[in-house]
């Protein structure tokens, strides 16, 4: 018990807890390692993207997550965001805050919360007040989200998309979001004095380089080239966003790169970084 207590203490003071939420479950209801949707929980308080946000959080997490950073409006990153707000509608005592660039907010309002696909929650209230509000941020400018400081920059994807650095003041984590080869993100990462972990996408196998390029994603090969821009040593590199249909192949090709401290992020596991 003492050991358990010590771990909790350490988590409270030294670590950022990060979890990639499951999005697919087998016939017995157990989470699988297939990532169809994207949603990271940071310290059970802040979500980065909201693909699986309504599907696999614990009741406790559902009660503490009120801030969501949306990197871009692709379905796999926002799929269950409307359902999450719908579930909580009658219970919220403060609004769900959606942090995004003005471009992404405009797309969410136009294409998702448009009264046709789903209600415009930004105009709705429960007995306590508004249920959802947008908190716009500008690329390149640091902003606060709950206990975290965040700086986001545009990356190279098919729609407006940001990657970001997130820090609780002690631990700093970089997230690429969905991207092909990019520059601003590496400038941001390399200008940050210390980075503990990098979460970066590797969507398609090497044999699908053309599709990866056209849809602005990495293959293990293009990721390896990209990582030559990383100016830090000794950080953990967690690869994410492996297309489920090619997961084994992408995993083999990632292992073959033999890059130190690079591994595939385990879905559902709470990492303490
Ligand atoms: Zn995308
Ligand atoms: Zn995606």
């Amino acid at each position: 018990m003492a050991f358990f207590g010590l771990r909790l203490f350490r988590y409270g003071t030294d670590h950022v807890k990060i979890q990639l939420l499951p999005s697919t479950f087998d016939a017995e209801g157990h989470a699988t390692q297939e990532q169809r949707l994207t949603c990271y929980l940071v310290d059970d308080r802040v979500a980065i993207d909201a693909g699986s946000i309504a599907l696999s959080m614990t009741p406790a997490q559902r009660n503490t997550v009120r801030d969501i950073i949306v990197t871009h409006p692709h379905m796999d990153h926002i799929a269950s965001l409307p359902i999450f707000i719908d579930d909580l509608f009658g219970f919220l005592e403060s609004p769900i805050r959606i942090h995004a660039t003005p471009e992404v907010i405009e797309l969410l309002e136009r294409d998702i919360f448009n009264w046709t696909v789903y209600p415009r929650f930004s105009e709705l209230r429960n007995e306590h007040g508004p249920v959802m509000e947008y908190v716009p941020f500008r690329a390149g400018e640091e902003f606060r989200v709950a206990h975290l400081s965040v700086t986001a920059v545009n990356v190279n994807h098919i729609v407006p998309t940001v990657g970001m650095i997130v820090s609780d003041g002690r631990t700093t984590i970089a997230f690429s979001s969905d991207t092909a080869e990019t520059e601003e993100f590496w400038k941001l990462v390399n200008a940050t004095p210390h980075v503990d972990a990098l979460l970066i996408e590797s969507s398609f196998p090497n044999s699908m380089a053309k599709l990866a390029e056209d849809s602005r994603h990495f293959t293990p090969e293009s990721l390896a080239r990209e990582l030559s821009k990383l100016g830090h040593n000794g950080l953990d590199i967690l690869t994410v966003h492996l297309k489920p249909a090619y997961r084994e192949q992408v995993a083999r090709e990632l292992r073959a790169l033999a890059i130190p401290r690079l591994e595939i992020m385990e879905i559902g596991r709470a990492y303490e970084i």
Side-chain angles (χ1 to χ4, degrees):
M1 280 311 282
F3 177 65
F4 186 59
L6 179 66
R7 279 176 61 83
L8 281 179
F9 175 71
R10 279 167 55 80
Y11 158 58
T13 55
D14 292 344
H15 294 266
V16 166
K17 176 180 162 188
I18 179 151
Q19 189 182 13
L20 173 53
L21 288 185
S23 56
T24 302
F25 304 87
D26 66 19
E28 277 81 47
H30 303 299
T32 76
Q33 287 300 312
E34 296 172 317
Q35 185 187 350
R36 294 201 162 75
L37 305 173
T38 294
C39 177
Y40 304 100
L41 282 195
V42 182
D43 290 338
D44 294 328
R45 282 182 71 184
V46 174
I48 299 176
D49 287 330
S52 42
I53 194 164
L55 308 182
S56 46
M57 284 205 290
T58 64
Q61 289 168 334
R62 198 171 294 121
N63 283 334
T64 51
V65 173
R66 292 293 176 270
D67 290 277
I68 303 167
I69 307 169
V70 177
T71 66
H72 69 298
H74 275 160
M75 187 59 90
D76 52 319
H77 297 253
I78 57 150
S80 69
L81 173 61
I83 312 299
F84 176 68
I85 300 167
D86 194 339
D87 282 345
L88 290 170
F89 191 96
F91 308 100
L92 289 167
E93 291 177 4
S94 61
I96 301 289
R97 289 173 291 274
I98 308 290
H99 305 262
T101 59
E103 294 88 340
V104 169
I105 291 170
E106 202 180 309
L107 292 168
L108 290 174
E109 286 287 278
R110 190 191 74 185
D111 296 339
I112 305 295
F113 298 109
N114 57 9
W115 297 115
T116 305
V117 173
Y118 230 67
R120 179 158 284 157
F121 285 125
S122 59
E123 294 177 5
L124 295 178
R125 306 166 68 87
N126 66 12
E127 58 175 313
H128 301 287
V131 294
M132 170 178 138
E133 71 181 23
Y134 292 107
V135 188
F137 61 79
R138 302 256 164 220
E141 293 174 10
E142 189 174 302
F143 58 99
R144 296 289 294 184
V145 180
H147 62 305
L148 303 171
S149 61
V150 181
T151 306
V153 290
N154 293 311
V155 291
N156 175 20
H157 198 36
I158 212 95
V159 293
T161 304
V162 293
M164 71 190 79
I165 290 268
V166 173
S167 178
D168 71 346
R170 297 181 198 86
T171 301
T172 301
I173 304 175
F175 296 82
S176 72
S177 192
D178 292 8
T179 188
E181 64 170 314
T182 190
E183 301 304 327
E184 284 301 304
F185 178 70
W186 298 113
K187 277 187 205 154
L188 172 68
V189 169
N190 293 339
T192 304
H194 181 80
V195 179
D196 297 281
L198 166 67
L199 275 67
I200 190 157
E201 74 127 290
S202 183
S203 296
F204 288 105
N206 293 330
S207 59
M208 299 176 78
K210 173 81 171 83
L211 178 60
E213 211 177 296
D214 290 347
S215 57
R216 307 284 199 281
H217 287 294
F218 288 129
T219 63
E221 233 167 55
S222 58
L223 172 62
R225 279 197 299 275
E226 194 69 8
L227 285 173
S228 67
K229 299 174 186 171
L230 173 61
H232 297 288
N233 290 317
L235 74 173
D236 293 313
I237 301 172
L238 296 170
T239 52
V240 294
H241 208 273
L242 283 67
K243 292 281 181 190
Y246 311 104
R247 184 179 172 84
E248 286 314 310
Q249 198 181 339
V250 174
R252 269 198 308 278
E253 291 171 358
L254 284 169
R255 283 194 291 271
L257 298 174
I259 294 173
R261 300 182 74 161
L262 180 147
E263 57 181 272
I264 297 162
M265 190 170 193
E266 215 177 295
I267 294 170
R269 175 174 159 192
Y271 287 78
E272 289 185 5
I273 291 169

